[in-house]
Amino acid sequence: MGSRIEIKNWSYRYPLNDAWAVEDLTLNVAAGEKVLLTGRSGWGKSTVLQAIAGILGSADEGGESRGSITIDDTPALQARGRVGLILQNPESQVIFARVQDNATFGGENLGVEREEILTRTEEALHTVDLDAEHGISPQRLAQHLSGGQTQRLAIASIMVMRPDVIICDEPTANLDPDGVQCVVDAIADAARQTGATLLVVDHNVQAWDGIVERRIALGEQVDFEDYAGRYASTRPHGPKALEAQNLSFGYAGEPLSYPLTTHFHTHEVTAITGVNGAGKTTLSLTLAGLLPALAGEVRVSDAIRADLPSAHPSDWDSHQLAERIQYVFQNPEHQFVTNTVLGEMESALRISHPELAKDEEELAYKAKERLAYYDLAEQQAQNPYSLSGGQKRRLTVACAIEAKPKILLVDEPTYGQDPRTWLTLVKMFAKLRDEGTCVITVTHDRAFIDALGARELVIPARTYDENHEDKDTRVDSPSRIVARLNPLTRFFTGLLVGLPLIISLDVVSASVALGAILVVLLALGFSPKKLALYTWPMLIGAAGSFLTVIIHNAQHDPVLASATAIRVLAMSAPAVVLVMGIDPTDLADAFVQKLHLSDRFVYAALAGFRLLPLLKEDLECIHQARTIRGLHTRSKFRQLFSDALSILILAVRRSTTLSLVMQARGFGADVQRTLVRISRTSALDWFAYALAVAIPLLSLGVAYYSGSMNLFGNLI
């Protein structure tokens, strides 16, 4: 059943900010009502939604709030779990590795009965078309879902919670048209099935026609108009600026689409379109010279190449690239290189106006003038990370434009823009085109394409044959027997096998133990090749220990050196081989259920662990952004320092967003958390423990009876 939302004279100011993000807002939404909230970028819509969800405004955050927000007369801070929050970035809402684990998370946190959670999860995944009927296994890795599917997974998680209120912060951003429709339909179904009140923030007003009952504008209400063809070019395109010949593009040697041959011209805007996952962003990075082509080539015209020895952008250094090509990344935060909005614009102007680099006053004056043109003058002293999503996008596009490139590539230029700033961007791109710039955009915005009369280049999704890798395959141990063991058993038996060997320094005990371990591992189904693959670092370490003893031991004793090397392998190899392939989620469940560690600590650490691959991708994007902005340095120390600072900032921001998502799903609620995944032990686990104890006892016993046992350096 839906709940009433009542906001009375509410204001909020973030820590260390002088300006109020939201000031004196009064808003009422009736129970069960469906409302669309619009307004200009930067008006604090996301801030309002987070406060309604009860994850913003507590005293320990350091921010300042006034007025009140209540859910059925209960303060929003005390109603956490009754409000389901869906954010604009699907990737940021993935907490665990697998589809089902993400869907059940909210229900577990609220203490819903296990069987009820499983029933709700099955129904929710079916509603959002993420069940077996639609080709999606509950065990599928969430990272292999498309953007639209990932957003629908977040909706399913909210549905399992059965909230009284569902709030959505631009849930259709960056999705292809089919993805938008699927997400909108899924949210509408979720609201209908749960009876929840629905409050949506979205600039894509037309997508919600027939679903919302009322529209509320924060600040001045502005509407999209039909600008089809109004800013189309009135002249033919100019000469060729960039060409792709039999271009194959992708990652790690895996092509994402079919080989492409096409040309891009001056005085022309080209829109690269296609479904999510077709490879549009990868293509644009390859065209910009930021990713190498898998095959074929990308060449610029002789006019753009000028006196450079190569016509291939991927061969150019950072400064050569920045003067000719600019690229705007999909995530604006990857592109920031200074700590103020003004500094970002000054960095761009140094590329197009090198003469201003020696006149700081004139540079600052020019930068302020350009920021005013882009409606960012009031934010010039702010840290760019503190801007709203739409303002961040506008700043990165503005800086790329002001660098005056010959070729401009922009990934999703209009997401997060209100009608006023959207039209400003359309006019800017039209002006650039008419001035002779070759403009290439990756976009799903049909109105943007039509307004500019852009040439459209559709990238088809690559179809894979039946032998293509199954994305539902769960990675685990190559041994089916080891895979059946509890994760804690695998963790501790690997340690138990080797630890007792530390007490004896003889070659006999180490050799017997290593031989027994190899026999057991081979019997369990590990091939010699797989063992070598898992243990090669240990082999190198063993060889190093052998050489160290031979060189530094006074007697240069080869027997002692051999004993040391074999012991290194016997102690480390089983631990590494047994833990390889352990599912982190299963291990976390075992820590909580078997060792009774704090579930808040363990699952928070598990969610944080998932961020590591994302931070690796962030670092790659940061390097690309610095290259395209002419800031790549050859100094390893400066690059290391810059990388560390940038990754630290992005890690904090990703962690903060993840924390918000987890809190919005009821994590940390004052109820007994339900355990959907049960961590079990069996007779096989106890046999494994017995075997782990028996092997070192056998090896030490053989050494003792052979007279070679060397207890801490003393023969027995």
Side-chain angles (χ1 to χ4, degrees):
M1 186 65 183
S3 291
R4 184 180 73 260
I5 304 171
E6 189 170 5
I7 304 176
K8 290 184 178 179
N9 306 115
W10 188 77
S11 303
Y12 186 79
R13 178 162 54 195
Y14 286 96
L16 306 179
N17 275 17
D18 294 329
W20 292 91
V22 178
E23 192 167 8
D24 199 29
L25 174 67
T26 296
L27 175 67
N28 291 287
V29 180
E33 190 176 14
K34 298 174 178 61
V35 175
L36 178 65
L37 191 63
T38 63
R40 296 195 61 188
S41 297
W43 273 81
K45 298 181 292 297
S46 297
T47 300
V48 173
L49 294 191
Q50 291 178 24
I52 295 172
I55 56 178
L56 186 71
S58 62
D60 58 357
E61 290 176 352
E64 182 181 354
S65 62
R66 299 173 182 170
S68 65
I69 298 180
T70 58
I71 310 296
D72 280 346
D73 299 324
T74 300
L77 289 171
Q78 300 174 22
R80 185 181 299 171
R82 293 177 58 187
V83 179
L85 174 63
I86 300 168
L87 301 177
Q88 63 181 245
N89 185 356
E91 179 187 78
S92 68
Q93 300 173 88
V94 176
I95 300 170
F96 295 133
R98 297 189 292 271
V99 166
Q100 180 168 291
D101 297 340
N102 282 280
T104 62
F105 182 66
E108 291 177 289
N109 295 328
L110 298 180
V112 179
E113 292 289 336
R114 182 175 183 271
E115 293 304 319
E116 177 65 16
I117 291 176
L118 292 174
T119 299
R120 292 183 185 181
T121 299
E122 184 178 356
E123 294 173 353
L125 291 176
H126 177 73
T127 298
V128 299
D129 297 343
L130 292 179
D131 58 353
E133 184 180 324
H134 295 88
I136 306 293
S137 164
Q139 300 305 316
R140 171 169 286 198
L141 296 177
Q143 72 188 65
H144 291 144
L145 299 177
S146 69
Q149 289 173 326
T150 306
Q151 192 68 292
R152 300 202 310 267
L153 177 58
I155 297 167
S157 181
I158 297 301
M159 293 178 68
V160 173
M161 294 170 60
R162 297 286 170 87
D164 297 326
V165 177
I166 297 176
I167 53 180
C168 309
D169 189 359
E170 298 197 49
T172 63
N174 292 344
L175 298 180
D176 60 64
D178 289 342
V180 169
Q181 191 59 54
C182 288
V183 165
V184 170
D185 289 345
I187 291 174
D189 288 342
R192 184 178 63 255
Q193 291 183 21
T194 61
T197 304
L198 178 63
L199 181 60
V200 178
V201 167
D202 205 333
H203 294 298
N204 189 355
V205 177
Q206 291 78 12
W208 300 95
D209 287 345
I211 295 173
V212 298
E213 301 157 353
R214 183 160 60 108
R215 176 180 169 189
I216 301 173
L218 289 183
E220 179 185 359
Q221 178 167 322
V222 284
D223 294 297
F224 282 105
E225 298 179 21
D226 184 6
Y227 290 100
R230 192 175 301 184
Y231 296 95
S233 178
T234 57
R235 53 163 291 174
H237 64 69
K240 179 173 61 180
L242 183 71
E243 66 176 320
Q245 290 289 343
N246 294 317
L247 177 64
S248 179
F249 53 93
Y251 281 101
E254 180 71 27
L256 293 177
S257 189
Y258 302 98
L260 174 71
T261 296
T262 190
H263 302 87
F264 304 90
H265 302 86
T266 62
H267 296 282
E268 181 183 57
V269 177
T270 301
I272 300 176
T273 64
V275 299
N276 288 103
K280 302 183 297 297
T281 294
T282 305
L283 170 60
S284 64
L285 288 168
T286 306
L287 293 174
L290 297 175
L291 282 179
L294 300 182
E297 66 174 357
V298 176
R299 297 178 58 89
V300 299
S301 66
D302 290 340
I304 294 176
R305 171 186 176 183
D307 58 350
L308 296 182
S310 173
H312 304 121
S314 58
D315 293 338
W316 300 345
D317 65 28
S318 179
H319 294 289
Q320 294 167 343
L321 200 60
E323 292 172 352
R324 294 165 174 81
I325 300 176
Q326 282 292 308
Y327 187 94
V328 179
F329 290 79
Q330 190 173 99
N331 182 351
E333 295 187 352
H334 287 148
Q335 209 150 338
F336 297 143
V337 295
T338 72
N339 60 2
T340 66
V341 171
L342 182 63
E344 291 293 315
M345 181 56 71
E346 289 176 342
S347 175
L349 292 176
R350 287 190 179 96
I351 298 173
S352 58
H353 298 79
E355 72 280 1
L356 295 179
K358 297 180 180 180
D359 190 341
E360 292 296 327
E361 288 188 7
E362 182 63 23
L363 178 65
Y365 176 81
K366 180 73 172 177
K368 292 175 182 178
E369 180 182 72
R370 299 316 299 158
L371 286 174
Y373 176 77
Y374 297 103
D375 198 19
L376 290 168
E378 294 181 4
Q379 290 79 28
Q380 61 179 315
Q382 287 184 225
N383 189 301
Y385 289 99
S386 69
L387 300 176
S388 72
Q391 290 170 335
K392 290 174 187 175
R393 165 58 71 214
R394 197 155 70 252
L395 175 62
T396 53
V397 172
C399 289
I401 290 174
E402 291 302 324
K404 303 297 183 185
K406 305 295 189 297
I407 301 171
L408 174 65
L409 296 103
V410 188
D411 196 350
E412 299 290 354
T414 60
Y415 97 84
Q417 302 303 309
D418 61 59
R420 186 188 303 275
T421 55
W422 178 91
L423 182 57
T424 298
L425 287 175
V426 169
K427 292 179 178 178
M428 286 191 294
F429 282 108
K431 183 173 183 291
L432 276 175
R433 176 203 61 209
D434 293 342
E435 290 174 349
T437 304
C438 172
V439 180
I440 305 170
T441 73
V442 173
T443 184
H444 295 119
D445 188 343
R446 175 54 54 187
F448 178 77
I449 297 171
D450 292 343
L452 288 167
R455 176 175 76 99
E456 188 170 0
L457 176 62
V458 181
I459 305 301
R462 188 178 180 89
T463 56
Y464 296 97
D465 60 36
E466 60 184 9
N467 295 320
H468 188 68
E469 180 184 359
D470 182 8
K471 295 180 179 177
D472 289 340
T473 300
R474 181 173 170 175
V475 178
D476 208 322
S477 173
S479 166
R480 288 196 287 182
I481 296 176
V482 172
R484 289 166 54 194
L485 295 173
N486 186 281
L488 281 184
T489 302
R490 293 167 64 175
F491 185 80
F492 285 119
T493 53
L495 297 178
L496 284 173
V497 168
L499 276 179
L501 298 177
I502 200 171
I503 68 175
S504 179
L505 304 179
D506 67 287
V507 71
V508 173
S509 63
S511 299
V512 171
L514 182 59
I517 289 168
L518 288 175
V519 168
V520 171
L521 291 177
L522 290 171
L524 288 173
F526 290 94
S527 67
K529 181 179 179 181
K530 186 66 71 173
L531 290 176
L533 179 65
Y534 284 170
T535 61
W536 67 265
M538 282 87 255
L539 293 170
I540 295 175
S545 65
F546 178 88
L547 293 174
T548 300
V549 174
I550 283 289
I551 294 172
H552 295 288
N553 180 260
Q555 289 78 32
H556 305 292
D557 186 357
V559 175
L560 179 61
S562 298
T564 304
I566 295 171
R567 184 172 288 99
V568 168
L569 285 175
M571 293 179 64
S572 60
V576 172
V577 171
L578 289 175
V579 300
M580 291 295 285
I582 287 182
D583 186 277
T585 304
D586 293 340
L587 183 60
D589 291 335
F591 279 141
V592 171
Q593 297 175 39
K594 301 299 181 183
L595 299 183
H596 303 291
L597 299 183
S598 166
D599 57 355
R600 294 188 185 185
F601 171 78
V602 171
Y603 290 120
L606 176 63
F609 178 77
R610 192 195 64 78
L611 294 180
L612 293 179
L614 299 180
L615 292 176
K616 180 182 177 182
E617 294 176 10
D618 286 338
L619 183 59
E620 181 180 357
C621 289
I622 289 168
H623 287 165
Q624 293 169 339
R626 292 185 179 279
T627 298
I628 206 71
R629 297 195 68 175
L631 298 174
H632 182 74
T633 176
R634 295 182 179 179
S635 168
K636 296 297 183 182
F637 176 78
R638 289 182 62 185
Q639 180 172 324
L640 180 63
F641 177 79
S642 176
D643 288 350
L645 182 60
S646 298
I647 282 295
L648 177 61
I649 293 172
L650 286 173
V652 169
R653 294 189 64 77
R654 281 193 180 275
S655 299
T656 301
T657 302
L658 185 61
S659 175
L660 291 177
V661 171
M662 294 177 72
Q663 290 181 64
R665 307 272 173 86
F667 189 65
D670 294 327
V671 297
Q672 181 65 41
R673 191 175 188 277
T674 304
L675 302 173
V676 168
R677 299 174 303 277
I678 306 299
S679 184
R680 306 181 190 279
T681 54
S682 65
L684 183 62
D685 291 281
W686 297 115
F687 178 77
Y689 281 115
L691 189 61
V693 172
I695 289 176
L697 289 179
L698 172 66
S699 62
L700 293 173
V702 171
Y704 177 79
Y705 284 107
S706 68
S708 63
M709 190 169 185
N710 191 345
L711 189 62
F712 299 113
N714 299 309
L715 285 173
I716 297 179

